[in-house]
Amino acid sequence: MPVLFSALLPPDDVAEAITAAISAALGDGLRWEPPERWHITLAYYGPDDVETRAAWLGARLAGRPAVDVRLEKAATFPGVLWLTVAGSELEPLAHAAGAGAEPRPYRAHLTLARFPREEPGLAARWTQQLAGFTSRRWQAAEVALMTSERDPGGPRYRVARAFELDHA
């Protein structure tokens, strides 16, 4: 069974703005996520059947409104550099998608890079450099049910199903 999660995908112009902000990143000791892996996780399901999870998720998202989202300054978890995500309706959407079932509290973010946990200083430059980063606000009108497959170069994500949210 594939590993599944639900996510919001940033629009192309937002991904381009992120790319421009980190364009000097190569060779700095971080393992940068390529733009095709950028997403905002709503909920992680682990190994699951796509059809069963899609039916469950579709029922949970039915009638939910589209949400306004914006990416902002960088922060870190141990070993992870990420952008914060602003949007007042994002957390309720994530909980509808199943985020409340996870053992840790939901924290909306977009992972940019990974680094050795014992070397947090590698990311310090980027939390400072991206402190003023703000993307444009966009309306996320679709939730993607994603599959994650292991490849030698890292995970490969694919949209298995997409669920439209109601436009206001």
Side-chain angles (χ1 to χ4, degrees):
M1 271 190 229
V3 172
L4 304 178
F5 64 95
S6 56
L8 302 177
L9 303 177
D12 290 343
D13 65 316
V14 171
E16 289 167 8
I18 298 166
T19 299
I22 63 172
S23 63
L26 298 178
D28 64 358
L30 279 71
R31 293 183 320 275
W32 292 90
E33 291 291 326
E36 62 269 15
R37 287 192 209 145
W38 290 344
H39 64 276
I40 301 162
T41 301
L42 295 174
Y44 176 79
Y45 310 117
D48 202 355
D49 176 71
V50 171
E51 297 305 321
T52 302
R53 182 57 65 176
W56 178 88
L57 186 58
R60 303 275 307 227
L61 297 176
R64 294 209 62 93
V67 296
D68 287 333
V69 180
R70 183 179 68 234
L71 298 171
E72 299 180 336
K73 66 183 185 270
T76 61
F77 295 133
V80 180
L81 173 69
W82 47 275
L83 290 174
T84 60
V85 182
S88 62
E89 295 303 312
L90 186 59
E91 192 164 338
L93 177 63
H95 283 281
E102 295 180 53
R104 60 182 178 234
Y106 180 71
R107 175 118 221 207
H109 67 281
L110 184 143
T111 297
L112 291 174
R114 300 182 188 283
F115 56 90
R117 289 176 180 235
E118 62 277 3
E119 296 185 56
L122 289 175
R125 166 184 169 218
W126 288 100
T127 56
Q128 292 171 1
Q129 185 163 332
L130 295 170
F133 179 84
T134 303
S135 76
R136 75 165 174 88
R137 185 172 294 278
W138 79 90
Q139 187 172 70
E142 185 177 89
V143 171
L145 177 61
M146 307 288 293
T147 63
S148 175
E149 298 173 14
R150 291 275 175 214
D151 276 349
R156 184 173 39 123
Y157 301 144
R158 182 181 62 82
V159 176
R161 298 283 186 284
F163 301 91
E164 278 196 49
L165 300 171
D166 288 346
H167 294 278

mmCIF file of all heavy atoms in Angstrom, residues 75-100:
data_model
loop_
_atom_site.group_PDB
_atom_site.id
_atom_site.type_symbol
_atom_site.label_atom_id
_atom_site.label_comp_id
_atom_site.label_asym_id
_atom_site.label_seq_id
_atom_site.Cartn_x
_atom_site.Cartn_y
_atom_site.Cartn_z
ATOM 1 N N ALA A 75 11.483 29.150 9.627
ATOM 2 C CA ALA A 75 11.691 28.672 10.997
ATOM 3 C C ALA A 75 12.288 27.273 10.881
ATOM 4 O O ALA A 75 12.488 26.771 9.772
ATOM 5 C CB ALA A 75 10.371 28.667 11.763
ATOM 6 N N THR A 76 12.568 26.657 12.023
ATOM 7 C CA THR A 76 13.135 25.308 11.993
ATOM 8 C C THR A 76 12.461 24.394 13.004
ATOM 9 O O THR A 76 11.968 24.834 14.038
ATOM 10 C CB THR A 76 14.653 25.306 12.302
ATOM 11 O OG1 THR A 76 14.870 25.840 13.606
ATOM 12 C CG2 THR A 76 15.429 26.107 11.273
ATOM 13 N N PHE A 77 12.434 23.130 12.646
ATOM 14 C CA PHE A 77 12.240 22.008 13.551
ATOM 15 C C PHE A 77 13.633 21.390 13.622
ATOM 16 O O PHE A 77 14.485 21.709 12.773
ATOM 17 C CB PHE A 77 11.295 20.956 12.960
ATOM 18 C CG PHE A 77 9.874 21.374 12.734
ATOM 19 C CD1 PHE A 77 9.251 21.086 11.523
ATOM 20 C CD2 PHE A 77 9.134 22.020 13.706
ATOM 21 C CE1 PHE A 77 7.935 21.421 11.297
ATOM 22 C CE2 PHE A 77 7.814 22.367 13.489
ATOM 23 C CZ PHE A 77 7.210 22.070 12.290
ATOM 24 N N PRO A 78 13.903 20.490 14.548
ATOM 25 C CA PRO A 78 15.208 19.820 14.511
ATOM 26 C C PRO A 78 15.434 19.151 13.145
ATOM 27 O O PRO A 78 14.662 18.287 12.731
ATOM 28 C CB PRO A 78 15.114 18.790 15.640
ATOM 29 C CG PRO A 78 14.137 19.406 16.602
ATOM 30 C CD PRO A 78 13.122 20.100 15.724
ATOM 31 N N GLY A 79 16.445 19.621 12.436
ATOM 32 C CA GLY A 79 16.806 19.050 11.151
ATOM 33 C C GLY A 79 16.002 19.512 9.948
ATOM 34 O O GLY A 79 16.209 19.021 8.848
ATOM 35 N N VAL A 80 15.080 20.461 10.132
ATOM 36 C CA VAL A 80 14.209 20.900 9.030
ATOM 37 C C VAL A 80 14.097 22.415 9.004
ATOM 38 O O VAL A 80 13.796 23.045 10.013
ATOM 39 C CB VAL A 80 12.790 20.288 9.167
ATOM 40 C CG1 VAL A 80 11.882 20.751 8.033
ATOM 41 C CG2 VAL A 80 12.846 18.773 9.224
ATOM 42 N N LEU A 81 14.333 23.003 7.822
ATOM 43 C CA LEU A 81 14.098 24.428 7.571
ATOM 44 C C LEU A 81 12.797 24.534 6.808
ATOM 45 O O LEU A 81 12.604 23.833 5.815
ATOM 46 C CB LEU A 81 15.251 25.012 6.745
ATOM 47 C CG LEU A 81 15.080 26.453 6.247
ATOM 48 C CD1 LEU A 81 15.129 27.440 7.409
ATOM 49 C CD2 LEU A 81 16.154 26.780 5.208
ATOM 50 N N TRP A 82 11.901 25.414 7.261
ATOM 51 C CA TRP A 82 10.589 25.508 6.636
ATOM 52 C C TRP A 82 10.068 26.930 6.634
ATOM 53 O O TRP A 82 10.557 27.788 7.373
ATOM 54 C CB TRP A 82 9.597 24.585 7.319
ATOM 55 C CG TRP A 82 9.581 24.633 8.824
ATOM 56 C CD1 TRP A 82 10.394 23.940 9.666
ATOM 57 C CD2 TRP A 82 8.704 25.388 9.672
ATOM 58 N NE1 TRP A 82 10.079 24.224 10.980
ATOM 59 C CE2 TRP A 82 9.036 25.106 11.004
ATOM 60 C CE3 TRP A 82 7.658 26.280 9.430
ATOM 61 C CZ2 TRP A 82 8.373 25.674 12.085
ATOM 62 C CZ3 TRP A 82 6.991 26.850 10.505
ATOM 63 C CH2 TRP A 82 7.354 26.533 11.823
ATOM 64 N N LEU A 83 9.071 27.165 5.788
ATOM 65 C CA LEU A 83 8.361 28.442 5.767
ATOM 66 C C LEU A 83 7.078 28.291 6.557
ATOM 67 O O LEU A 83 6.388 27.261 6.461
ATOM 68 C CB LEU A 83 8.012 28.858 4.327
ATOM 69 C CG LEU A 83 9.174 29.278 3.450
ATOM 70 C CD1 LEU A 83 8.692 29.525 2.022
ATOM 71 C CD2 LEU A 83 9.867 30.519 3.999
ATOM 72 N N THR A 84 6.747 29.319 7.332
ATOM 73 C CA THR A 84 5.487 29.300 8.073
ATOM 74 C C THR A 84 4.341 29.566 7.094
ATOM 75 O O THR A 84 4.528 30.147 6.026
ATOM 76 C CB THR A 84 5.470 30.348 9.197
ATOM 77 O OG1 THR A 84 5.644 31.639 8.625
ATOM 78 C CG2 THR A 84 6.558 30.088 10.211
ATOM 79 N N VAL A 85 3.164 29.122 7.481
ATOM 80 C CA VAL A 85 1.983 29.278 6.639
ATOM 81 C C VAL A 85 0.938 30.037 7.440
ATOM 82 O O VAL A 85 0.607 29.651 8.560
ATOM 83 C CB VAL A 85 1.416 27.914 6.200
ATOM 84 C CG1 VAL A 85 0.214 28.101 5.289
ATOM 85 C CG2 VAL A 85 2.486 27.084 5.515
ATOM 86 N N ALA A 86 0.454 31.132 6.865
ATOM 87 C CA ALA A 86 -0.596 31.930 7.504
ATOM 88 C C ALA A 86 -1.904 31.680 6.778
ATOM 89 O O ALA A 86 -1.932 31.574 5.553
ATOM 90 C CB ALA A 86 -0.230 33.410 7.453
ATOM 91 N N GLY A 87 -2.952 31.599 7.542
ATOM 92 C CA GLY A 87 -4.294 31.410 6.990
ATOM 93 C C GLY A 87 -5.221 31.007 8.106
ATOM 94 O O GLY A 87 -5.059 29.930 8.682
ATOM 95 N N SER A 88 -6.184 31.849 8.421
ATOM 96 C CA SER A 88 -7.021 31.613 9.595
ATOM 97 C C SER A 88 -7.879 30.356 9.492
ATOM 98 O O SER A 88 -8.220 29.760 10.504
ATOM 99 C CB SER A 88 -7.909 32.830 9.871
ATOM 100 O OG SER A 88 -8.789 33.046 8.772
ATOM 101 N N GLU A 89 -8.229 29.940 8.312
ATOM 102 C CA GLU A 89 -9.079 28.754 8.158
ATOM 103 C C GLU A 89 -8.296 27.489 7.852
ATOM 104 O O GLU A 89 -8.872 26.428 7.628
ATOM 105 C CB GLU A 89 -10.127 29.010 7.067
ATOM 106 C CG GLU A 89 -11.108 30.113 7.427
ATOM 107 C CD GLU A 89 -11.836 29.835 8.738
ATOM 108 O OE1 GLU A 89 -12.341 28.707 8.919
ATOM 109 O OE2 GLU A 89 -11.881 30.748 9.583
ATOM 110 N N LEU A 90 -6.974 27.593 7.845
ATOM 111 C CA LEU A 90 -6.142 26.444 7.492
ATOM 112 C C LEU A 90 -6.210 25.335 8.547
ATOM 113 O O LEU A 90 -6.336 24.154 8.210
ATOM 114 C CB LEU A 90 -4.699 26.887 7.278
ATOM 115 C CG LEU A 90 -3.749 25.823 6.769
ATOM 116 C CD1 LEU A 90 -4.216 25.259 5.436
ATOM 117 C CD2 LEU A 90 -2.359 26.404 6.626
ATOM 118 N N GLU A 91 -6.128 25.695 9.800
ATOM 119 C CA GLU A 91 -6.149 24.668 10.849
ATOM 120 C C GLU A 91 -7.467 23.892 10.879
ATOM 121 O O GLU A 91 -7.453 22.663 10.961
ATOM 122 C CB GLU A 91 -5.834 25.268 12.220
ATOM 123 C CG GLU A 91 -5.557 24.191 13.241
ATOM 124 C CD GLU A 91 -4.873 24.722 14.491
ATOM 125 O OE1 GLU A 91 -4.242 25.782 14.444
ATOM 126 O OE2 GLU A 91 -4.990 24.029 15.511
ATOM 127 N N PRO A 92 -8.625 24.565 10.788
ATOM 128 C CA PRO A 92 -9.871 23.779 10.724
ATOM 129 C C PRO A 92 -9.914 22.836 9.511
ATOM 130 O O PRO A 92 -10.407 21.713 9.614
ATOM 131 C CB PRO A 92 -10.973 24.839 10.637
ATOM 132 C CG PRO A 92 -10.374 26.065 11.258
ATOM 133 C CD PRO A 92 -8.909 26.005 10.916
ATOM 134 N N LEU A 93 -9.374 23.285 8.378
ATOM 135 C CA LEU A 93 -9.326 22.415 7.199
ATOM 136 C C LEU A 93 -8.431 21.207 7.473
ATOM 137 O O LEU A 93 -8.790 20.075 7.145
ATOM 138 C CB LEU A 93 -8.819 23.197 5.988
ATOM 139 C CG LEU A 93 -8.649 22.388 4.697
ATOM 140 C CD1 LEU A 93 -9.999 21.849 4.219
ATOM 141 C CD2 LEU A 93 -7.984 23.244 3.625
ATOM 142 N N ALA A 94 -7.276 21.447 8.075
ATOM 143 C CA ALA A 94 -6.352 20.349 8.388
ATOM 144 C C ALA A 94 -7.003 19.351 9.341
ATOM 145 O O ALA A 94 -6.871 18.136 9.159
ATOM 146 C CB ALA A 94 -5.061 20.905 8.976
ATOM 147 N N HIS A 95 -7.725 19.832 10.328
ATOM 148 C CA HIS A 95 -8.375 18.922 11.271
ATOM 149 C C HIS A 95 -9.494 18.136 10.586
ATOM 150 O O HIS A 95 -9.678 16.947 10.867
ATOM 151 C CB HIS A 95 -8.853 19.668 12.505
ATOM 152 C CG HIS A 95 -7.721 19.974 13.433
ATOM 153 N ND1 HIS A 95 -7.178 19.042 14.281
ATOM 154 C CD2 HIS A 95 -6.992 21.106 13.607
ATOM 155 C CE1 HIS A 95 -6.169 19.573 14.947
ATOM 156 N NE2 HIS A 95 -6.038 20.826 14.550
ATOM 157 N N ALA A 96 -10.206 18.778 9.662
ATOM 158 C CA ALA A 96 -11.221 18.049 8.900
ATOM 159 C C ALA A 96 -10.572 16.943 8.068
ATOM 160 O O ALA A 96 -11.145 15.868 7.892
ATOM 161 C CB ALA A 96 -11.994 19.010 7.994
ATOM 162 N N ALA A 97 -9.350 17.202 7.587
ATOM 163 C CA ALA A 97 -8.626 16.221 6.781
ATOM 164 C C ALA A 97 -7.961 15.141 7.637
ATOM 165 O O ALA A 97 -7.387 14.205 7.101
ATOM 166 C CB ALA A 97 -7.573 16.927 5.926
ATOM 167 N N GLY A 98 -8.009 15.286 8.970
ATOM 168 C CA GLY A 98 -7.476 14.249 9.847
ATOM 169 C C GLY A 98 -6.255 14.609 10.649
ATOM 170 O O GLY A 98 -5.659 13.746 11.292
ATOM 171 N N ALA A 99 -5.844 15.870 10.637
ATOM 172 C CA ALA A 99 -4.631 16.262 11.374
ATOM 173 C C ALA A 99 -4.741 15.988 12.867
ATOM 174 O O ALA A 99 -3.740 15.707 13.512
ATOM 175 C CB ALA A 99 -4.314 17.740 11.139
ATOM 176 N N GLY A 100 -5.907 16.034 13.426
ATOM 177 C CA GLY A 100 -6.078 15.809 14.859
ATOM 178 C C GLY A 100 -5.756 14.394 15.295
ATOM 179 O O GLY A 100 -5.569 14.134 16.480
#
